[in-house]
């Protein structure tokens, strides 16, 4: 019976064998026998080739393991839903990219298919994406500027339209190359420079660019296309000046479409839990609008701009034009990174939600291959649209199969139904674009949120937004990345410096200025900086240590130096006098005393045990001079003898900071304050060693792993009397 | 008698009253009576005005207190020595700046005099400086390009020479304005961006620029002047191509001068301790060479280029030409910062050596006023030459009086002796320039030193050097500063991650991979990053935590999610079955059992106290599933229950890193590992609070001030049995 249950358990286990292998391929570690290890090694090379293949062509791995019964239905429904959205988005975003609408359909087919084969994310919907499309558009429009895109016959495609398509395809090809290269050299990490506030600020600005570029379609006016700095401002000004020329029919069409789409989008969201599969309102709008447009003949009667000829059937692949490469290479790199940044963040989000992992570098390669292949088929660059991915996931999509299904939908349109949409007004497509930006515009809410939580990140957001609005999407991105790197300097340039005190009867040390319970230990100053120490704040650190120590360190040192000089001069004088006296004595044997009694005192350089008033000043030791001056500065009875620098916040040390630390040791040693280091991390200690920090005067004995240890050490050695310390001082210093 | 000694002490004290006041003006703090405080307040406004005056015009403070008897002689000797060096350097550096030599003399007079009044450093020698002169030269030569500087008559000065002088003066004026402004807004800190390796790499490259620009004078060939990127390379190529046209007389003159100057410089350094005042070999060379040149008529006989007319007497001040301002404003800012960087580093070095302080912002103002005034008197920009400052200090200079004396020397030359140097060959001046660069060229030794001590600083050095060589002094500086800021990313982007273990019987925790004594505490992982956590390394951090935890965290979560799903499905099935059974039972009362025994077990979602083999798998709790999987991954008997993140190296948190920390808490909580934070600094804790980090699942109770405290807490709560923990788990989770 037990056996039976065991058996039973095995088959009805929550994990199938394959799944377990998928989930824990590294769990074989636990002690295999020598023989089996030998066998393993033999099988190893074959397995490695297989796992490499699985790594680079994930479909080979997941398709044979695809749980048809459980996943297929969901994937088909999801694929159909996504395909239905891809259609209007593809047409609309093609306008953003500055190419005829049909290329949006191509872009929704070839690259998406390739992604399904190579991608590792099971829920993102690869395809056209507004932000990327508008980035592509800024390139095509700057290289092929005149606005003659109203393609009415198949031939005129070879004019501006054709040229733009070539630019877009070359750009896309290069984007693919960059992504594949970045993936192969495992440089997926470049995306980390695009921090979240940066990306959100950037997309918000991109959405504004997109909206402005669509306003002209909605108002039915034609606008000079620009892609220089401040072009957005010029365009807005031009649109305003051309408002009187508005095509009322176009405007009404657009506004109605926007209204309907917004309402349905809202209803879709509100009743999502009930209907599960959203109403494909975009498709319905397209069909209805095309029908009305055809029936009323909107184009000829009211001058409403329509989509125009959509060639039926596939096109043969064309080599991307290499003469365009040098002109688009910079933008290609920027776009490659942005595409990846969006995709990976979405992919990770879904992976976390559904409990699987995505392979960063494989994602790069998959996107790269998609765009690379797309480049041959006159596609523009694709990415991953958040809204569409959410539809794919929420309608029950389980795997990349949904993507394949959505491709097939597009394929059918390309092959059969494309021409049906020829009378579709462009204003409808503009409406589709604008409504789809709703989610991005919500990101303006980041501003109050970041204001409350992190103002420097807010600054990054705002600077990115402003730079992208004013300098356009390419240069704006560069400026934003540079700025977000500089914020590291902002955040660490002006650290918070604090003097720590012991929280009574604990080993905890806290800022005395903030915690009333924290009390300074008499004679010991514990100093902490909130940030690492490097060239930009090293000087500040040194000044803060000196000023927070409560001593005018530099002046004390000056005093000491002066005192030593005077003392030396006096000694010399004394020597001379003595010599003279001796000479006189030799001559006159015990003649009159020297010119002044003080000069007759025979004194060693550091006469110990001499009270202040008992002897003239020259006899006072340096030690006393300093201690006295310190008393004057501190104004209390405690002698400040030890300084502890808590270096736990230090991440690394450059030559400047090592020098500053050396100077602190030198200066405080000069005024008889011993410096100790606490909490120095192993890496930093190594850097100090390399930088020849340690010497006769700075030893590792002054380094402690914690403040507590340093304090304990100091208190132990400070149990000596002042005289004993004086002795130590005399024997070691000068 | 006692009284007498006291009296005596007072007068023969090591510090005079005035000195004490100077040294410790802030030591009045100690308890004055109410009355005296009132009096103080009344006197306060007057005193404040006085101290402000003293601050902005330091000479008013120090001159009345000047110890004539002790310092005057030293200052005069030092001033004479410096003046004698200023003369040849002024003439020579004028050539670097691209203006006729006499303007070098002006630049060694007016600004130096102004500096003596406003400067706070007592030992630096303000005046012409090779690096700054060549920066000025690159501006004058780019704005007034054609090389017709061989000024032989007074009139031709108004041509290129005059134009260049106007450019240099306008530039200098703007430099002055920038420095004054920076000083007034207390922006002296901008100089901290010029880290030491940057400055040293920069000056080394500048020295190469200077040398190349002087080679033409030594070889006596004329070279097209360039100031674009890579101009240095082009110039070297042109010099090489023109070598056949070398003027042998000029070359011999130059080489002899270099030889003599080098030898005397060497002797001066070697026998410095004996002779104290260095041999003024530059002056001697100048005089001898002028004599020979005049006697042999080098210019006409051998075609050796000579200095030419030096107008005698002063020139009336001229307003700087404001039409040139827009053209030089960028360079003016760069030069303003570089001048200040050099000056303040030298000033601080001497101040530290002699035990006084310099006022950063006052130095900026002093330099600014010097250049501002210089701009009216056709001077080019001045800075501080290290070599001359060392002479000033070593020949006994004690104060700014030495500077005044050196001015007077130059004044005499300007008024009386200038014309004597008219036949001086330019090759001699070139030799003076080159020999004075010796110290800077020694900086090439930084390369092996930095290779040993700090390679990233070496990179900064090399990049600065290369950028400055290739892109010239202005753009090169910008690129270098940008690069040195980016190194902060390099240094923190790839932190060293370590798992810490306890060093036996201590509170010290160290990297287990490095320290054999450090042992991990069973069940607890302590994780530390060597660097702060921010957008560029946040992802890496999360991955490192997960991989170093020894668990396939993501896969465990996936397993858990799957298990939960399966469990839910089974439950639903069971529910149905039961319902059916009940229905059947109601119908047939105790009919045949369900289709499979496993589905008949009535089980709660989290059945406790169920052993693994005792019941079918669906009855296993999530907790068990995870613990079991964890066993598989860890391969040892210990259950990993606690993760401690040591955040002591964290300096600040941005939104990205807060999110990553949140994710770590979420993920590890998911697999039943409790996360604790240790060593989080107060500032960081504040940022976490602001960022809404804390919630029901992440509480401040998980934050401990040290690793030790966290470990103690964990061990105390972990004394519970697995069942108890299971209970806690069941009661709090799901």
């Amino acid at each position: 019976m037990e056996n039976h249950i065991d058996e039973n358990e095995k088959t009805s286990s929550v994990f199938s064998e394959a799944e377990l292998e998928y989930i824990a391929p590294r769990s074989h570690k636990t002690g295999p026998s020598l023989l089996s290890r030998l066998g393993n090694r033999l099988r190893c090379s074959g397995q490695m080739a297989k796992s490499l293949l699985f790594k680079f062509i994930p479909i080979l791995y997941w398709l044979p393991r695809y749980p048809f019964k459980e996943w297929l239905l969901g994937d088909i429904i999801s694929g159909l839903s996504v395909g239905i959205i891809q259609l209007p988005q593809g047409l609309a975003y093609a306008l953003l990219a500055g190419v005829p609408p049909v290329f949006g359909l191509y872009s929704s087919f070839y690259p998406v298919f390739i992604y399904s084969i190579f991608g590792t994310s099971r829920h993102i919907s690869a395809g056209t994406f507004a932000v990327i499309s508008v980035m592509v558009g800024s390139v095509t429009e700057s290289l092929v500027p005149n606005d003659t895109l109203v393609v009415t016959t198949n031939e005129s495609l070879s004019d501006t339209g054709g040229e733009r398509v070539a630019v877009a395809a070359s750009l896309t090809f290069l984007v693919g190359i960059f992504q594949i290269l970045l993936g192969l050299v495992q440089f997926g990490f470049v995306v980390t420079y695009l921090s979240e506030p940066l990306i959100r600020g950037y997309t918000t600005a991109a959405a504004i660019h997109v909206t402005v570029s669509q306003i002209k379609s909605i108002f039915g006016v034609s606008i000079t296309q620009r892609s220089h700095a401040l072009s957005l401002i010029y365009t807005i000004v031009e649109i305003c000046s051309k408002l009187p020329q508005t095509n009322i029919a176009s405007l009404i069409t657009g506004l109605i479409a926007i209204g309907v789409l917004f309402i349905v989008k809202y209803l879709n969201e509100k009743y999502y839990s009930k209907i599960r599969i959203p109403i494909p309102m975009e498709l319905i709008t397209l069909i209805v609008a095309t029908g009305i447009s055809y029936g009323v003949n909107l184009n000829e009667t009211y001058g409403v701009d329509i989509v125009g000829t959509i060639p039926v059937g596939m096109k043969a692949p064309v080599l991307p034009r290499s003469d365009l490469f040098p002109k688009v290479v910079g933008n290609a790199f920027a776009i490659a990174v942005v595409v990846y940044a969006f995709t990976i963040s979405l992919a990770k989000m879904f992976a976390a939600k559904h409990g699987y992992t995505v392979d960063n570098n494989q994602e790069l390669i998959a996107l790269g291959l998609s765009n690379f292949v797309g480049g041959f088929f006159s596609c523009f660059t694709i990415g991953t649209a958040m809204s569409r991915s959410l539809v794919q996931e929420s309608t029950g999509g389980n795997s990349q199969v949904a993507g394949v299904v959505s491709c097939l939908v597009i394929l059918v349109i390309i092959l059969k139904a494309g021409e049906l949409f020829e009378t579709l007004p462009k204003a409808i497509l503009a409406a589709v674009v604008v409504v789809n930006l709703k989610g991005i515009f919500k990101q303006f809410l980041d501003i109050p949120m970041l204001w409350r939580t992190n103002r420097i990140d807010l600054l990054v957001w705002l600077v990115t937004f402003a730079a992208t609005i004013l300098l356009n999407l390419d240069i704006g991105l560069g400026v934003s990345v540079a700025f977000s790197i500089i914020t590291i300097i902002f955040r660490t340039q002006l650290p918070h410096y604090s003097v720590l005190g012991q929280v009574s009867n604990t080993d905890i040390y806290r800022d005395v200025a903030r915690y009333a319970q924290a009390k300074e230990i008499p004679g010991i100053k514990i100093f902490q900086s909130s940030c690492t120490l490097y060239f930009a704040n090293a000087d500040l650190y040194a000044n803060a240590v000196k000023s927070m120590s409560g001593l005018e360190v530099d002046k004390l040192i000056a005093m000491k130096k002066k005192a030593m000089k005077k003392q030396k001069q006096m000694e010399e004088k004394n020597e001379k006098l003595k010599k003279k006296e001796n000479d006189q004595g030799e001559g006159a044997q015990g003649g009159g005393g020297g010119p002044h009694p003080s000069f007759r005192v025979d004194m060693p350089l550091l006469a110990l045990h001499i009270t202040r008033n008992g002897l003239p000043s020259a006899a006072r030791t340096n030690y006393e001079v300093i201690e006295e001056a310190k008393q004057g500065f501190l104004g209390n009875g405690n002698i400040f003898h030890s300084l502890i620098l808590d270096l736990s916040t230090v991440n690394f040390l450059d030559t400047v900071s090592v020098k500053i630390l050396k100077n602190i040791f030198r200066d405080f040693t000069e005024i008889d304050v011993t410096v100790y280091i606490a909490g120095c991390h192993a890496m930093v200690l190594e850097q100090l060693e390399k930088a020849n920090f340690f010497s006769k005067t700075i030893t590792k004995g002054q380094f402690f792993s914690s403040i507590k240890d340093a304090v304990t050490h100091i208190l132990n050695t400070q149990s000596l009397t002042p005289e004993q310390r004086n002795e130590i001082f005399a024997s070691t210093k000068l």
Side-chain angles (χ1 to χ4, degrees), chain A:
Chain A
M1 185 60 197
E2 267 248 298
N3 201 11
H4 170 72
I5 289 175
D6 254 340
E7 200 71 54
N8 182 20
E9 193 206 345
K10 210 174 176 182
T11 49
S12 76
S13 158
V14 281
F15 304 106
S16 69
E17 285 283 272
E19 277 170 346
L20 268 174
E21 190 186 305
Y22 182 80
I23 289 162
R26 283 202 254 160
S27 65
H28 293 292
K29 287 174 203 158
T30 40
S33 74
L34 198 72
L35 237 156
S36 74
R37 259 193 265 169
L38 206 71
N40 274 343
R41 195 165 293 179
L42 286 172
R43 263 175 287 147
C44 208
S45 57
Q47 274 182 342
M48 261 179 65
K50 210 171 159 187
S51 79
L52 259 180
L53 204 65
F54 284 170
K55 185 175 153 50
F56 285 110
I57 314 176
I59 197 170
L60 293 184
Y61 182 82
W62 60 259
L63 198 57
R65 293 165 180 77
Y66 185 74
F68 282 91
K69 215 179 68 188
E70 296 159 46
W71 284 6
L72 194 59
L73 186 68
D75 276 342
I76 288 176
I77 293 172
S78 156
L80 288 174
S81 312
V82 170
I84 285 166
I85 301 171
Q86 288 264 28
L87 169 65
Q89 283 188 348
L91 294 172
Y93 294 164
L95 293 185
L96 282 183
V99 297
V102 68
F103 294 97
L105 296 183
Y106 297 154
S107 306
S108 306
F109 173 65
Y110 298 102
V112 180
F113 189 75
I114 302 290
Y115 181 83
S116 304
I117 297 171
F118 295 100
T120 60
S121 170
R122 286 168 16 205
H123 294 87
I124 63 170
S125 164
T128 54
F129 176 38
V131 174
I132 303 300
S133 303
V134 80
M135 285 182 91
V136 172
S138 78
V139 179
T140 56
E141 284 161 15
S142 72
L143 289 184
V144 191
N146 52 326
D147 192 9
T148 54
L149 259 188
V150 191
V151 184
T152 39
T153 65
N154 232 348
E155 291 90 87
S156 73
L157 244 176
S158 55
D159 302 334
T160 331
E163 186 68 17
R164 283 198 180 164
V165 170
V167 171
S170 297
L171 177 70
T172 303
F173 176 80
L174 276 192
V175 168
I177 298 274
F178 274 124
Q179 288 175 331
I180 293 169
L181 286 180
L182 287 176
L184 288 179
V185 297
Q186 316 265 309
F187 255 49
F189 74 83
V190 290
V191 82
T192 55
Y193 293 118
L194 307 179
S195 65
E196 203 191 339
L198 187 147
I199 293 235
R200 293 175 75 92
Y202 185 74
T203 48
T204 313
I208 296 213
H209 275 279
V210 171
T211 310
V212 170
S213 84
Q214 294 308 296
I215 283 178
K216 68 168 194 289
S217 294
I218 291 174
F219 282 90
V221 295
S222 76
I223 299 289
T224 327
Q225 256 148 7
R226 300 171 179 85
S227 61
H228 51 82
L230 298 178
S231 61
L232 192 77
I233 311 296
Y234 285 103
T235 306
I236 291 174
V237 170
E238 193 178 338
I239 289 175
C240 292
S241 74
K242 287 196 173 163
L243 278 187
Q245 302 165 27
T246 304
N247 182 321
I248 303 296
S250 181
L251 181 62
I252 292 173
T253 317
L255 289 182
I256 291 176
I258 290 181
V260 170
L261 289 172
F262 252 120
I263 292 167
V264 176
K265 214 177 174 85
Y266 173 76
L267 293 178
N268 270 342
E269 275 166 25
K270 193 163 181 191
Y271 297 106
Y272 161 72
S273 54
K274 286 182 191 164
I275 48 179
R276 298 296 293 199
I277 295 166
I279 308 164
M281 200 57 212
E282 289 178 352
L283 185 69
I284 295 169
T285 311
L286 246 62
I287 293 170
V288 171
T290 311
I292 294 174
S293 173
Y294 183 78
V296 190
N297 202 351
L298 273 181
N299 183 25
E300 285 172 25
T301 319
Y302 300 97
V304 171
D305 210 358
I306 59 165
V307 165
T309 309
I310 296 182
V312 169
M314 312 295 279
K315 283 180 69 179
V318 189
L319 263 183
R321 271 174 47 195
S322 56
D323 61 308
L324 293 169
F325 290 168
K327 292 177 191 163
V328 299
V329 66
N331 292 79
F333 185 79
I335 294 176
V337 173
V338 173
V339 165
Y340 174 62
F342 281 112
T343 306
I344 199 68
S345 64
L346 262 184
K348 281 197 173 162
M349 192 186 84
F350 286 119
K353 189 170 173 193
H354 291 274
Y356 61 92
T357 52
V358 289
D359 178 338
N360 292 7
N361 292 304
Q362 180 57 27
E363 280 301 293
L364 252 177
I365 291 173
L367 287 169
L369 285 170
S370 304
N371 284 316
F372 176 80
V373 170
F376 288 96
F377 290 95
S378 307
C379 300
F380 55 87
T381 316
I382 58 124
T384 318
M386 174 134 182
S387 58
R388 217 168 48 228
S389 303
L390 283 173
V391 169
Q392 174 163 342
E393 186 232 5
S394 61
T395 51
N398 287 307
S399 75
Q400 294 89 329
V401 170
V404 175
V405 173
S406 82
C407 286
L408 297 178
V409 173
I410 298 295
L411 185 62
V412 169
I413 306 282
I414 293 175
L415 291 180
K416 296 286 164 199
E419 51 194 331
L420 294 181
F421 291 105
E422 284 180 4
T423 54
L424 173 65
K426 279 191 180 173
I428 298 288
L429 292 182
V432 169
V433 170
V434 171
V435 172
N436 273 304
L437 294 176
K438 192 185 141 214
I440 295 186
F441 279 120
K442 269 194 190 157
Q443 291 177 165
F444 274 116
L445 296 176
D446 288 1
I447 297 177
M449 190 271 289
L450 285 174
W451 173 258
R452 284 191 307 273
T453 58
N454 197 319
R455 302 220 176 139
I456 292 182
D457 276 342
L458 175 64
L459 200 62
V460 171
W461 197 103
L462 291 174
V463 168
T464 305
F465 181 78
T468 311
I469 287 283
L470 298 177
L471 305 173
N472 287 359
L473 292 152
D474 40 4
I475 303 174
L477 184 66
V479 170
S480 313
V481 171
F483 183 77
S484 80
I485 288 175
I486 291 177
T487 57
I488 306 299
I489 304 274
F490 296 169
R491 295 187 206 256
T492 53
Q493 170 150 45
L494 294 170
H496 177 80
Y497 296 113
S498 41
V499 169
L500 305 187
Q502 189 179 23
V503 178
S504 43
N505 302 322
T506 67
D507 297 340
I508 300 170
Y509 292 84
R510 285 275 177 280
D511 187 353
V512 289
R514 289 158 166 258
Y515 297 88
Q517 311 100 300
K519 293 269 178 292
E520 282 192 65
I521 302 158
I524 304 176
K525 282 271 173 194
I526 306 166
F527 186 81
Q528 190 188 54
S529 160
S530 70
C531 286
T532 192
L533 188 61
Y534 68 111
F535 65 85
N537 62 20
D539 252 9
L540 270 184
Y541 184 84
N543 292 340
V545 170
K546 284 179 185 171
S547 74
M548 292 184 108
S549 73
L551 294 180
E552 307 261 343
V553 179
D554 296 322
K555 285 179 185 166
L556 280 173
I557 295 172
M559 280 169 81
K560 187 183 166 183
K561 289 221 163 125
K562 263 213 160 150
M564 281 168 70
K565 213 172 161 187
K566 277 261 161 113
Q567 211 167 21
K568 219 180 163 187
Q569 281 175 358
M570 276 193 161
E571 256 171 73
E572 277 168 17
K573 260 192 192 167
N574 261 8
E575 286 286 303
K576 269 190 203 163
L577 271 178
K578 252 203 234 165
K579 225 181 169 185
K580 217 176 168 187
E581 251 172 40
N582 282 353
D583 289 356
Q584 282 178 349
E586 270 169 28
Q589 290 290 351
H596 200 284
S598 77
F599 289 128
R600 288 209 272 180
V601 180
D602 181 30
M603 58 197 170
L605 184 61
L606 276 164
L608 299 173
H609 308 289
I610 296 171
T611 54
R612 188 183 164 186
N613 293 324
L615 271 176
S617 76
R620 286 161 60 207
T621 66
N622 290 317
Y623 178 76
E624 284 172 322
V625 170
I626 293 162
E627 287 304 329
E628 211 174 278
K630 274 158 75 177
Q631 293 292 328
F633 286 120
L634 288 172
N636 57 31
N638 295 318
I639 292 170
F640 169 32
H641 50 72
S642 302
L643 173 71
I644 302 176
L645 303 177
D646 176 15
L647 292 194
S648 65
T649 50
V650 171
N651 294 179
F652 62 86
L653 287 170
D654 55 9
T655 45
V656 177
S657 47
V658 170
K659 203 173 156 187
I660 285 288
L661 282 180
K662 268 189 185 169
N663 287 350
I664 292 173
F665 269 86
R666 182 197 67 202
D667 290 348
F668 279 90
T669 308
E670 197 85 62
I671 57 164
D672 196 33
V673 172
T674 318
V675 185
Y676 300 89
I677 300 282
C680 181
H681 292 278
M683 300 291 291
V684 176
L685 197 64
E686 251 173 42
Q687 283 170 333
L688 282 173
E689 274 170 3
K690 265 193 169 176
N692 304 318
F693 183 72
F694 297 102
S695 63
K696 267 185 198 169
T697 47
I698 310 176
T699 65
K700 281 200 185 165
Q702 284 157 285
F703 278 59
F704 294 90
S705 72
S706 67
I707 298 175
K708 179 201 142 207
D709 292 350
V711 170
T712 311
H713 170 87
I714 292 165
L715 293 180
N716 287 342
T717 54
Q718 285 299 326
S719 56
L720 305 169
T721 62
E723 269 73 31
Q724 281 171 304
R725 284 197 295 117
N726 213 340
E727 233 151 34
I728 290 171
F729 178 75
S731 66
T732 55
K733 303 286 149 47
L734 266 175

